[in-house]
Amino acid sequence: SQTIHQWPATLVQPVGSPLSLECTVEGTSNPNLYWYRQAAGRGLQLLFYSVGIGQISSEVPQNLSASRPQDRQFILSSKKLLLSDSGFYLCAWSSSLTSGGGDEQFFGPGTRLTVL
Amino acid sequence: AQKITQTQPGMFVQEKEAVTLDCTYDTSDPSYGLFWYKQPSSGEMIFLIYQGSYDQQNATEGRYSLNFQKARKSANLVISASQLGDSAMYFCAIARWDKIIFGKGTRLHILP
């Protein structure tokens, strides 16, 4: 069966410090991978998605970046965190393109980031 | 571009009553998928139900059903016989190919 891992679970970082959040998927090959951010009490905002190694699409311009060094590894980074980067970060995966209707996404447990 | 609208920021419902959570969408794509997710206070996102744009019948999964009205571009979630454990945020989403767009969510409170 497929599983998705995220770490760390919680993180408290000072403004201006770097960030690295990691997401890995097991039990599937060539998944589509996604990073979302959820501000407190609000909906999900798609940040990045990737359909393959080294292929990253950015949805929202910001001081965050994403990389996919391996097929089942997705990393969210920042060189200098802002206060507004605080939130709940969710990684998700879905099967590769199968039809025009899209496939359900399976979410990781999330990382709660607080920037002070 | 695709868009999802959930007009109910919050709802209070008596336990055991049925609940309808509204969702309307906008897309120019002929083929798409519609999803509902539940997010309890723990933060995890739980997939509930899926409806393909070409599906003739409304999707059902246990107590969850999706009232799909394609001409009106609506995909309301119906929860029958609500339970206290149904209290959570509920997100409607539309997908095409490689990405999903989520609505802002509806917070559902089930009252004992």
Side-chain angles (χ1 to χ4, degrees):
Chain A
S1 64
Q2 301 90 358
T3 55
I4 178 168
H5 305 278
Q6 279 187 253
W7 64 91
T10 59
L11 192 60
V12 180
Q13 291 284 98
V15 169
S17 63
L19 173 74
S20 180
L21 302 181
E22 190 162 344
C23 170
T24 58
V25 181
E26 296 177 357
T28 187
S29 296
N30 194 31
N32 296 329
L33 295 172
Y34 309 83
W35 276 112
Y36 292 89
R37 177 171 60 200
Q38 185 178 30
R42 304 185 69 178
L44 278 75
Q45 178 185 35
L46 178 63
L47 301 175
F48 302 94
Y49 69 96
S50 170
V51 298
I53 297 175
Q55 300 178 61
I56 308 295
S57 296
S58 175
E59 289 295 299
V60 182
Q62 56 209 320
N63 69 319
L64 299 172
S65 62
S67 62
R68 185 170 177 173
Q70 300 180 47
D71 181 45
R72 290 169 286 179
Q73 183 184 31
F74 206 23
I75 298 172
L76 182 69
S77 304
S78 174
K79 292 182 179 178
K80 288 185 178 181
L81 283 169
L82 306 173
L83 287 175
S84 57
D85 291 325
S86 293
F88 190 53
Y89 288 81
L90 286 158
C91 179
W93 74 272
S94 68
S95 297
S96 301
L97 305 180
T98 55
S99 68
D103 282 309
E104 67 192 74
Q105 292 187 359
F106 300 93
F107 286 81
T111 295
R112 198 164 299 278
L113 172 66
T114 303
V115 182
L116 301 174
Chain B
Q2 297 168 313
K3 184 180 177 182
I4 283 280
T5 303
Q6 293 180 255
T7 58
Q8 306 153 309
M11 288 185 69
F12 289 83
V13 174
Q14 210 68 40
E15 188 182 9
K16 299 182 183 177
E17 289 184 353
V19 181
T20 298
L21 304 180
D22 295 340
C23 173
T24 58
Y25 61 92
D26 190 19
T27 181
S28 57
D29 297 323
S31 181
Y32 50 90
L34 294 157
F35 303 81
W36 278 92
Y37 284 84
K38 172 184 178 181
Q39 187 180 40
S41 56
S42 60
E44 60 188 307
M45 290 286 285
I46 303 169
F47 166 74
L48 296 179
I49 197 166
Y50 166 81
Q51 179 86 41
S53 59
Y54 289 115
D55 293 342
Q56 296 297 316
Q57 293 186 327
N58 287 343
T60 60
E61 289 286 347
R63 294 187 298 114
Y64 304 107
S65 61
L66 200 151
N67 184 3
F68 181 46
Q69 298 186 44
K70 192 172 183 177
R72 298 178 61 181
K73 293 188 175 180
S74 75
N76 298 341
L77 176 71
V78 180
I79 306 174
S80 63
S82 58
Q83 303 170 356
L84 294 178
D86 294 331
S87 294
M89 280 288 286
Y90 288 81
F91 293 96
C92 180
I94 185 169
R96 179 185 174 274
W97 292 113
D98 53 357
K99 58 181 178 179
I100 288 181
I101 306 298
F102 285 83
K104 293 185 177 181
T106 295
R107 183 167 293 281
L108 176 64
H109 303 269
I110 305 299
L111 305 173

